Amino acid sequence: MLTEFWQSIRNLARNPGFSLLAVTTLALGIGISTAVFSVVNGVLLEPLRFRDPDRIVALTTSDRARPRPSPRMSGGDFMEVRAQNRVFEGISVYFGGEVGVEAAGGAEFAGVEWVNPEFFRILGQNVPPMGSSGAIVSEGFAARRFGDSARAAGSVVRVENRAYAITGVLACPRFPEGTDVWLPAPYDPENRNHTAINYRAVAKLRPGVSLESAQANLDAISGALAATNPKTNTGRRIVAVRLGEQLTGPVRTMLVVLFGAVLLVLLIACVNVSNLLLARAAARRREIAVRTALGASFLRIVRMLLIESAVLALAAAVPGLGLASLLRRVMLHLAPANLPRMAEVRMDAPVLAFAFGISLLSALIFGLLPAFQISRQQLSARTALGGSRNRLRSALVIAEVALSVVLAIGAGLFFRTLLALNAAQLGFAPDNVLVMYAHAPARTLAEYVNTGRFFTSRLLPELARIPGVTADAAVMGLPAGQYGSNGYYAVLGKQVFAEGRKLPESNWALASPNYFRTMRIPLLRGRDFTARDSFGAPQVIIVSESVVRQIFGAENPLGRQIVCGLDEYSMKPMTIVGVVGDVRQDSPGSSPGPELYMPIEQHPYYGNELQVILRTAVPPPNLTGAAR
């Protein structure tokens, strides 16, 4: 076998042009498929790096009245599940996002999650107890702010003007991904009603309990909740989903389709090399005839040719791995920020095994048919390769064309989708807009009121004076942004806002004066917000065109009053003073829907964490430094 291996290398070296072309073709196919497999493996196939990952589940809410299940649950539902569950050894809610954190004499935006005491035990992570005023921070945050983990221990971080002493530093993995600071939350959720679905929850199955048994217990609890709270829980079902599936569900189909497409590319590469081998077959007729005359068996000749194919494939695997490593870095750089488990995408042992596995499989694919064809022709004592060889090459060409057509159709459909998304009417103009996230800590009502006033009365006028800025505004609820809220609302005289009533739903946003002009959202009726719409002034609201169609029809909405559940101030009647155009709030692929816009200063508890928007007459990146 070793002798045949070296002989194969010498045979390939005699024809360097053929060998280089074959190796290059295979390296491209192996490199692309291995790079994509590294992402598929890290995101979809590798188990979560927690203790007993198959026992960790996310609790979600399914409702017949909603088109899509929610990844959250209400505080009231959570408390009932925790009290009545017979299948979980632990259950915890968590909530948070990216907020301002002060530490070591500076401040930065960081991922912050409020968790209750069972959270880390569910994930199997050993961390010191936080108590009521402790904090756990990530290794990256500790290194960034304090220099190393040892210096971070015992130091203080401040969030919303409250001090927390760091009791522990957590190494990877982090959950939720991107979190840098974990703070203690009350054992019972603050909002305990069954209406607001605000909390994410994780639980850990007891040993030996299946997901099906857990779901049966949750279905019984859901039925009991519907019986005791028919207005809110009728048609609602609490569903347990494996945490890994919950994290990767939104991208699973996309990655599987992408992986299938690159496997087609690899198959096309194999067919190309098969054709190269068949084209080379004519030059080897005499060599194989001599081997046959000297007593070489059919299997021996096939083995020799397959070894040559394997040498080609393994030679292509080396540059293919280099290309895969480069493409992996490019893909991670271009990947959306919300791609889950990005930190776990690496060139590890399973990826290397995949690369060499597909290399050997490729050798079989592109080597077996030509080897069989050459050997059969020689052993049957044919004097010409003509007819049967040409038929096989024609079949390979047909297969290559068929694979290329499938790939081209998929690419065409993908391109058509991109064109459709690019042509979608967003309802606003995203070009020449610089978006910045701003947060100011506040704890008391007075601090929140002053913070909202600072953003609208001091910060925005200062930014407007930067050369190149043509308009500026602030918002909580920018389309496709991180902030925002949604829920039920009622128009006085048409609906009654009470727990359990079926009410219309909409997105909610807080906006400063000039927001609609800055985003170029058309004002269809009435007026924009002004500086007079401050805290303590009569409550006002602006609605989108979809709200008018949904509720008012041909009636004039101006002057009518709305209440919603954003905060205590939105439960007071808010007078409609304007109507604006619809926007695609979630993405270009989402449908425009109802939107309620309220003045920032009139809802102070949500006005300290905003997106500041600058419309510019110059490239937006040119103003980043001045805006900071």
Side-chain angles (χ1 to χ4, degrees):
M1 182 72 73
L2 186 60
T3 302
E4 291 176 334
F5 178 79
W6 289 114
Q7 181 63 41
S8 297
I9 293 178
R10 286 194 294 270
N11 289 338
L12 293 172
R14 292 192 192 105
N15 196 340
F18 160 80
S19 301
L20 181 61
L21 181 58
V23 166
T24 302
T25 303
L26 285 174
L28 287 173
I30 292 170
I32 295 171
S33 56
T34 301
V36 175
F37 177 78
S38 70
V39 178
V40 171
N41 182 63
V43 175
L44 300 183
L45 303 182
E46 283 287 326
L48 296 177
R49 292 188 291 158
F50 300 114
R51 189 183 304 162
D52 304 319
D54 289 340
R55 291 169 51 200
I56 304 174
V57 299
L59 300 183
T60 65
T61 302
S62 176
D63 195 324
R64 288 200 303 263
R66 299 174 185 267
R68 291 182 295 180
S70 169
R72 298 176 175 83
M73 62 189 309
S74 72
D77 290 355
F78 166 78
M79 293 187 67
E80 289 298 320
V81 170
R82 188 175 62 188
Q84 299 182 40
N85 107 82
R86 302 290 182 268
V87 293
F88 302 122
E89 67 177 34
I91 177 173
S92 171
V93 293
Y94 62 97
F95 58 93
E98 196 172 67
V99 300
V101 177
E102 299 173 79
E108 66 173 82
F109 276 108
V112 178
E113 292 291 329
W114 281 263
V115 302
N116 74 22
E118 294 187 67
F119 181 81
F120 293 109
R121 184 167 64 85
I122 290 169
L123 299 177
Q125 295 175 312
N126 295 319
V127 298
M130 291 187 290
S132 60
S133 59
I136 304 295
V137 301
S138 70
E139 279 186 334
F141 183 86
R144 212 163 48 241
R145 304 306 309 180
F146 303 101
D148 56 46
S149 300
R151 294 178 185 175
S155 300
V156 173
V157 295
R158 300 181 67 88
V159 179
E160 300 293 10
N161 277 347
R162 180 176 176 181
Y164 298 86
I166 298 174
T167 61
V169 177
L170 183 66
C172 286
R174 298 180 289 171
F175 181 77
E177 193 168 345
T179 304
D180 278 316
V181 181
W182 292 263
L183 301 176
Y187 184 66
D188 293 334
E190 292 183 0
N191 188 339
R192 303 173 192 175
N193 66 39
H194 296 277
T195 303
I197 303 176
N198 292 331
Y199 297 99
R200 293 182 181 266
V202 290
K204 191 166 191 176
L205 297 169
R206 291 177 177 172
V209 174
S210 67
L211 188 63
E212 292 74 19
S213 298
Q215 189 58 57
N217 182 225
L218 291 174
D219 287 341
I221 296 172
S222 300
L225 283 167
T228 56
N229 303 275
K231 294 180 178 179
T232 56
N233 286 72
T234 298
R236 181 183 294 180
R237 184 177 181 234
I238 301 165
V239 180
V241 182
R242 302 234 184 244
L243 184 60
E245 295 178 12
Q246 172 74 11
L247 294 175
T248 61
V251 299
R252 182 176 296 273
T253 300
M254 176 194 70
L255 289 180
V256 170
V257 170
L258 178 61
F259 188 51
V262 298
L263 287 181
L264 283 179
V265 173
L266 179 61
L267 281 175
I268 291 172
C270 291
V271 172
N272 272 326
V273 176
S274 292
N275 271 319
L276 289 174
L277 287 173
L278 281 175
R280 187 169 172 254
R284 303 194 66 185
R285 282 184 301 164
R286 180 171 298 178
E287 173 198 342
I288 295 176
V290 171
R291 290 179 181 273
T292 303
L294 292 175
S297 66
F298 170 80
L299 291 178
R300 176 124 185 209
I301 292 177
V302 169
R303 186 176 68 183
M304 178 195 71
L305 295 173
L306 285 179
I307 289 174
E308 289 187 13
S309 300
V311 170
L312 275 177
L314 292 176
V318 176
L321 282 173
L323 177 62
S325 180
L326 176 63
L327 290 177
R328 179 187 65 88
R329 290 194 291 269
V330 172
M331 291 170 66
L332 292 180
H333 178 73
L334 298 177
N338 60 351
L339 181 69
R341 308 184 67 187
M342 288 178 60
E344 299 177 45
V345 176
R346 51 192 182 273
M347 299 292 289
D348 53 9
V351 176
L352 295 177
F354 171 84
F356 283 102
I358 61 169
S359 299
L360 295 177
L361 181 62
S362 300
L364 286 175
I365 293 173
F366 69 73
L368 190 57
L369 284 178
F372 177 77
Q373 180 70 10
I374 294 170
S375 303
R376 186 168 67 86
Q377 289 165 343
Q378 291 297 330
L379 292 172
S380 60
R382 293 188 180 177
T383 58
L385 292 173
S388 59
R389 175 172 58 92
N390 288 336
R391 285 195 296 272
L392 182 57
R393 292 183 65 183
S394 298
L396 289 175
V397 170
I398 292 171
E400 184 174 3
V401 171
L403 291 172
S404 301
V405 167
V406 172
L407 196 61
I409 290 173
L413 292 174
F414 180 70
F415 185 65
R416 179 182 175 185
T417 300
L418 287 180
L419 289 178
L421 290 175
N422 191 56
Q425 297 298 314
L426 301 177
F428 59 93
D431 299 330
N432 291 326
V433 172
L434 178 66
V435 178
M436 300 171 293
Y437 286 78
H439 171 266
R443 291 185 64 189
T444 66
L445 175 60
E447 288 176 344
Y448 277 107
V449 170
N450 288 334
T451 295
R453 188 173 298 128
F454 163 78
F455 280 129
T456 58
S457 302
R458 291 184 57 192
L459 176 63
L460 293 180
E462 287 288 333
L463 291 170
R465 284 193 277 271
I466 297 176
V469 173
T470 59
D472 68 335
V475 65
M476 190 282 289
L478 185 72
Q482 294 183 17
Y483 306 148
S485 188
N486 61 72
Y488 301 112
Y489 70 95
V491 177
L492 300 189
K494 290 181 176 290
Q495 296 102 10
V496 176
F497 200 102
E499 185 173 350
R501 295 294 181 92
K502 290 297 182 183
L503 295 171
E505 295 183 62
S506 72
N507 290 315
W508 301 333
L510 302 181
S512 72
N514 206 37
Y515 168 69
F516 303 109
R517 186 174 76 87
T518 302
M519 290 295 291
R520 295 183 181 170
I521 299 172
L523 180 64
L524 306 177
R525 302 189 212 179
R527 67 171 178 87
D528 194 354
F529 298 132
T530 69
R532 295 190 300 274
D533 300 319
S534 58
F535 183 72
Q539 300 279 114
V540 296
I541 191 170
I542 292 174
V543 301
S544 70
E545 196 174 9
S546 284
V547 173
V548 177
R549 287 196 302 267
Q550 185 181 53
I551 303 298
F552 297 101
E555 299 178 39
N556 181 11
L558 299 181
R560 303 297 294 269
Q561 292 184 317
I562 286 180
V563 294
C564 71
L566 175 67
D567 57 10
E568 60 185 282
Y569 303 102
S570 66
M571 293 301 294
K572 300 174 182 179
M574 300 176 289
T575 302
I576 300 174
V577 296
V579 177
V580 295
D582 289 334
V583 299
R584 297 180 188 267
Q585 183 67 23
D586 295 329
S587 72
S590 64
S591 300
E595 305 277 342
L596 301 183
Y597 301 92
M598 294 160 269
I600 289 172
E601 291 191 39
Q602 292 190 348
H603 302 271
Y605 290 116
Y606 287 89
N608 72 318
E609 193 169 20
L610 300 170
Q611 291 137 324
V612 177
I613 310 146
L614 304 183
R615 182 164 291 280
T616 68
V618 297
N622 293 357
L623 302 185
T624 301
R628 278 204 181 103

